[in-house]
Amino acid sequence: MRLLELEKGIDVGSLPFMDKDIRNFLQNQSGIDKQNDALDVLKLCKGLKELDDAFQYDYTIDENKKLEHIIWAFGDSIRAYESFGDVVVFDTTYRINRYGMPLGIWLGVDNHGNSVFFDCVLLRNEKISSFTWALKNFLAFVKGKNPQTILTDQDPSLKEAIANEFPNTKHAFCIWHILAKLPSWFSFVLGARYNDFKSEFFKVYPLDCEDDFEQYWKSMVAQFGLSNDIHIKLLYSLRQRWALAYLKDFFFAGMTTIGRSESINSYIKHFLDAKTSLTDFITRVGVAVQIRNQAGEEARMRQKYHNHLLKTSFPMEEHVASILTPYAFGLIQIEIELSTKYAATETNSGSFIVKHHTKDDGGRLVTWIEGQESIRCSCKEFEFSGILCRHAIRVLLMKNYFHIPSKYLPFRWRRESSLIPKSSHIVNNNDVSSAEFHSLIQCIEYESLKTKERKQIATKGLEDLIREIKGMSESHEDQIGLEVVPNNDECDVGIPVRTRSKGRPKGSKAKVVVEVVSNNDECDVGNPVRTKSKGRPKRSRPKGGVEAATKIRHCHIPNCGATGHDTRNCPNKRKHNDILPNESPNEFKKGWRNSSN
């Protein structure tokens, strides 16, 4: 508005329209040339399928031939799920504003602690039937491999759909979604005491003993007088799905931490722009997948030359450093170091009570079966994160173990666990597994870089091998079919043009130019209809507590100081501008200060 006023040379507030009119205009303009959005996205998916046979997608249309649901997964994402699909976050809290469609994103974590993208779905609504369709297709894409655990928000429809489709999967609620709802649930009720309540909640959540949780929860509820609050009752009834004390028996790979939630949200926001078209969104997801895979590959390469800083003299620490990734080693190194502060006392039953050196009571019960090299701690940290706890390590050290048994170094945290990168632009019809070939290359690289002599021999050998391969016949029967033949049928699509910049791209905001060929044929699918979200509209809840105590802002125009507006739309602003019409703003400010003195 101010720019238009300056351009026209008119006074503030003299335009014949309001800012709302400009917003409506911009919104309407953003929809121009998007009449074929649904058709274009189907053509794009078909083109991606031709480029990479591992790319998967499916969709449904309603009785009016409008796009209803669409789900897709890149080949690299499906291969990543094979290695790291044991724990999945299914986030459905985002939306595409153009159509108001709920967006579902499947995410996981790799062996380097990075978030990895598995799948994406756009749904017409948040009904059980829609979520069921999404879960069934997801299972079809990953060849029926169910995750061990899945984290979602508290949507009741999604909860029922997961219970039906993933009966053998542990379903838990993301703690960051619960924390996001705490202000709307308790801020108005508790008022100024809300921050104290939040601090107590953070103390109760990480408790790893059910009895301790029950005791502290009752104390917290009584302290703030919330025994009859409907939301407190709801949280308590669902405690087995979000409180760590009830989740320790299941593997979550650290996905329940607050820091992990911030990492996931940051990752999603890099490529999620609700105002983009469907085709642009799918392309951005593809760029995000590619960049994340590159990050994982770079981490895999760096770990070979990473010199670990050992903090103890235990051979166990050195042994673990040679097996686990730097990320996983950093986690278990903390446990090894802290184990030195604990004392283990053997009981008559052969178990051990492990206590911190400053405590006389309590402690953890560690069960050790020497013949089977089996160890189990009552804290259940290994079952929960895949990292052996300090209490179990204390017993192993007491038993003179120089290494951690192999079963307690999970493959998903090991160095050799990989995303197995594969080009998305090549369809390999060779019978030899690309993973096996990639493994041979890795072995050559790892062994040859140990000494200069090995490197010279490997370099000379590879040069000879390349010359020999180049001199081989290229007859038709010897080729392995690396060329993708386009399919000119009813859904032709322009192949996305991938652009590469020099050096490593910043973040995941790489630009990809997508060319979609218009084709008025029988693939006539209409754009999705606009849907409304469930729940209370934004900004309609009563404010309380810290929100209600927010300081009221005042206008800073001299001799005004009123509330309800600011310096941009102050009714007294014109009067002061008329006083010194020929002076610059800086001169006006200087003169006002002098007069006040």
Side-chain angles (χ1 to χ4, degrees):
M1 290 286 287
R2 184 57 184 149
L3 287 174
L4 290 174
E5 290 167 350
L6 293 173
E7 181 180 324
K8 298 298 182 181
I10 60 178
D11 294 332
V12 176
S14 299
L15 288 173
F17 45 80
M18 300 181 296
D19 59 344
K20 185 176 181 181
D21 298 319
I22 295 182
R23 296 180 187 276
N24 292 338
F25 173 77
L26 293 176
Q27 185 176 1
N28 292 334
Q29 287 295 110
S30 65
I32 293 179
D33 297 331
K34 300 300 180 182
Q35 291 84 357
N36 297 324
D37 202 8
L39 180 59
D40 290 345
V41 76
L42 296 182
K43 292 178 180 179
L44 176 61
C45 288
K46 189 172 184 61
L48 292 172
K49 180 68 174 178
E50 292 175 353
L51 288 173
D52 181 8
D53 189 58
F55 178 85
Q56 301 287 339
Y57 76 101
D58 197 1
Y59 66 96
T60 62
I61 57 177
D62 60 15
E63 60 277 4
N64 297 319
K65 292 188 177 180
K66 298 285 187 179
L67 183 64
E68 187 177 27
H69 311 311
I70 182 168
I71 185 173
W72 70 95
F74 290 87
D76 289 339
S77 298
I78 296 176
R79 285 184 284 272
Y81 182 85
E82 295 176 3
S83 298
F84 309 112
D86 44 11
V87 182
V88 173
V89 173
F90 185 34
D91 198 319
T92 59
T93 59
Y94 298 91
R95 283 181 175 268
I96 296 295
N97 286 345
R98 183 182 298 276
Y99 305 106
M101 300 180 71
L103 168 66
I105 300 177
W106 278 272
L107 294 166
V109 60
D110 65 7
N111 55 339
H112 298 285
N114 297 322
S115 299
V116 289
F117 178 92
F118 293 142
D119 202 310
C120 199
V121 63
L122 283 169
L123 301 172
R124 169 68 58 84
N125 50 48
E126 295 170 295
K127 296 181 179 179
I128 297 177
S129 57
S130 298
F131 287 129
T132 299
W133 181 88
L135 295 174
K136 284 184 177 180
N137 280 275
F138 174 76
L139 274 182
F141 288 175
V142 298
K143 301 177 182 179
K145 179 182 177 181
N146 287 274
Q148 296 180 25
T149 52
I150 185 170
L151 288 155
T152 71
D153 63 356
Q154 302 86 33
D155 190 293
S157 299
L158 180 57
K159 176 183 175 183
E160 184 171 346
I162 291 177
N164 295 333
E165 300 302 322
F166 292 171
N168 299 323
T169 298
K170 173 61 178 177
H171 180 202
F173 295 148
C174 301
I175 185 59
W176 53 91
H177 289 153
I178 294 177
L179 294 177
K181 294 181 179 180
L182 290 184
S184 62
W185 285 350
F186 303 109
S187 177
F188 182 74
V189 175
L190 296 175
R193 295 195 301 162
Y194 169 71
N195 284 337
D196 295 334
F197 166 79
K198 190 175 180 180
S199 299
E200 291 298 319
F201 186 87
F202 274 108
K203 295 178 182 179
V204 175
Y205 166 70
L207 296 174
D208 53 10
C209 178
E210 295 180 12
D211 293 338
D212 291 343
F213 175 86
E214 296 289 343
Q215 178 181 350
Y216 281 97
W217 182 267
K218 292 179 181 178
S219 175
M220 181 187 69
V221 171
Q223 178 183 350
F224 294 95
L226 297 173
S227 56
N228 295 323
D229 186 87
I230 184 174
H231 296 114
I232 279 290
K233 292 181 179 179
L234 176 63
L235 283 175
Y236 184 74
S237 65
L238 299 174
R239 64 191 182 282
Q240 294 183 349
R241 294 186 181 272
W242 62 267
L244 294 188
Y246 297 91
L247 300 178
K248 282 289 189 174
D249 287 320
F250 304 93
F251 180 67
F252 283 92
M255 298 288 279
T256 58
T257 62
I258 307 301
R260 174 59 56 184
S261 69
E262 296 175 354
S263 173
I264 290 176
N265 289 331
S266 176
Y267 174 52
I268 293 175
K269 290 178 181 179
H270 275 308
F271 63 87
L272 177 61
D273 186 350
K275 294 182 179 180
T276 59
S277 65
L278 294 178
T279 52
D280 292 339
F281 176 73
I282 292 180
T283 307
R284 290 187 183 188
V285 172
V287 173
V289 172
Q290 185 180 24
I291 291 177
R292 179 57 71 187
N293 289 345
Q294 290 175 355
E297 182 66 11
E298 291 174 3
R300 184 191 65 81
M301 295 296 296
R302 287 196 303 268
Q303 73 182 4
K304 295 181 180 180
Y305 316 109
H306 178 74
N307 294 323
H308 295 287
L309 178 62
L310 302 181
K311 298 182 179 180
T312 69
S313 59
F314 300 137
M316 178 185 295
E317 183 183 9
E318 185 177 358
H319 171 254
V320 172
S322 65
I323 295 179
L324 301 184
T325 63
Y327 168 77
F329 170 72
L331 297 177
I332 200 170
Q333 185 183 43
I334 295 175
E335 301 299 319
I336 294 175
E337 186 178 12
L338 291 177
S339 68
T340 59
K341 298 182 179 181
Y342 286 77
T345 304
E346 190 170 2
T347 64
N348 295 331
S349 61
S351 301
F352 294 84
I353 299 295
V354 182
K355 300 179 183 179
H356 193 270
H357 70 94
T358 61
K359 296 182 179 180
D360 296 329
D361 54 354
R364 304 293 184 179
L365 178 64
V366 178
T367 304
W368 164 250
I369 303 177
E370 188 169 0
Q372 303 176 5
E373 287 192 334
S374 175
I375 194 166
R376 182 179 177 86
C377 181
S378 59
C379 76
K380 302 178 182 178
E381 182 61 30
F382 176 77
E383 291 81 358
F384 184 68
S385 65
I387 301 297
L388 202 61
C389 66
R390 63 200 69 172
H391 317 106
I393 292 175
R394 175 71 264 174
V395 173
L396 290 177
L397 292 174
M398 185 177 178
K399 291 292 184 178
N400 297 323
Y401 263 74
F402 296 137
H403 66 276
I404 293 179
S406 178
K407 67 174 72 174
Y408 299 108
L409 299 174
F411 180 76
R412 67 121 45 238
W413 293 130
R414 295 193 181 193
R415 290 168 172 259
E416 60 265 33
S417 181
S418 172
L419 291 176
I420 314 177
K422 180 180 178 181
S423 173
S424 300
H425 307 278
I426 297 178
V427 179
N428 193 348
N429 297 324
N430 191 11
D431 294 335
V432 180
S433 170
S434 62
E436 180 181 356
F437 183 79
H438 186 75
S439 177
L440 291 174
I441 297 297
Q442 286 182 330
C443 182
I444 293 175
E445 180 185 15
Y446 177 73
E447 294 295 335
S448 62
L449 293 179
K450 289 184 176 180
T451 63
K452 291 184 178 180
E453 183 180 2
R454 288 188 177 191
K455 181 179 179 181
Q456 293 174 355
I457 296 175
T459 302
K460 184 178 183 304
L462 288 174
E463 290 175 349
D464 296 339
L465 180 61
I466 291 173
R467 283 193 295 268
E468 181 180 354
I469 293 176
K470 287 184 176 180
M472 295 178 64
S473 172
E474 295 185 2
S475 60
H476 179 74
E477 60 271 15
D478 293 333
Q479 294 181 5
I480 61 176
L482 297 179
E483 182 179 0
V484 179
V485 181
N487 186 8
N488 298 321
D489 53 13
E490 69 274 12
C491 284
D492 269 345
V493 58
I495 296 175
V497 180
R498 297 181 179 268
T499 59
R500 292 187 178 181
S501 60
K502 294 182 179 180
R504 181 179 178 180
K506 297 180 180 180
S508 59
K509 296 183 178 180
K511 295 182 179 179
V512 176
V513 180
V514 181
E515 180 182 358
V516 180
V517 181
S518 299
N519 189 8
N520 298 323
D521 50 21
E522 56 267 30
C523 285
D524 187 14
V525 178
N527 292 339
V529 297
R530 294 183 180 273
T531 58
K532 293 184 178 180
S533 60
K534 299 188 297 184
R536 178 190 301 157
K538 293 182 179 180
R539 301 186 184 92
S540 65
R541 65 176 177 84
K543 294 183 178 181
V546 179
E547 296 171 301
T550 303
K551 184 178 180 181
I552 299 176
R553 300 184 64 181
H554 296 267
C555 178
H556 295 289
I557 290 292
N559 301 325
C560 180
T563 60
H565 63 267
D566 54 25
T567 55
R568 295 174 298 177
N569 54 3
C570 178
N572 296 321
K573 186 174 184 179
R574 186 181 304 175
K575 298 179 181 180
H576 288 279
N577 289 340
D578 293 340
I579 295 175
L580 299 172
N582 296 324
E583 295 184 6
S584 66
N586 291 333
E587 292 173 342
F588 171 77
K589 187 180 295 185
K590 181 178 179 181
W592 171 65
R593 287 176 178 171
N594 290 337
S595 62
S596 64
N597 294 333

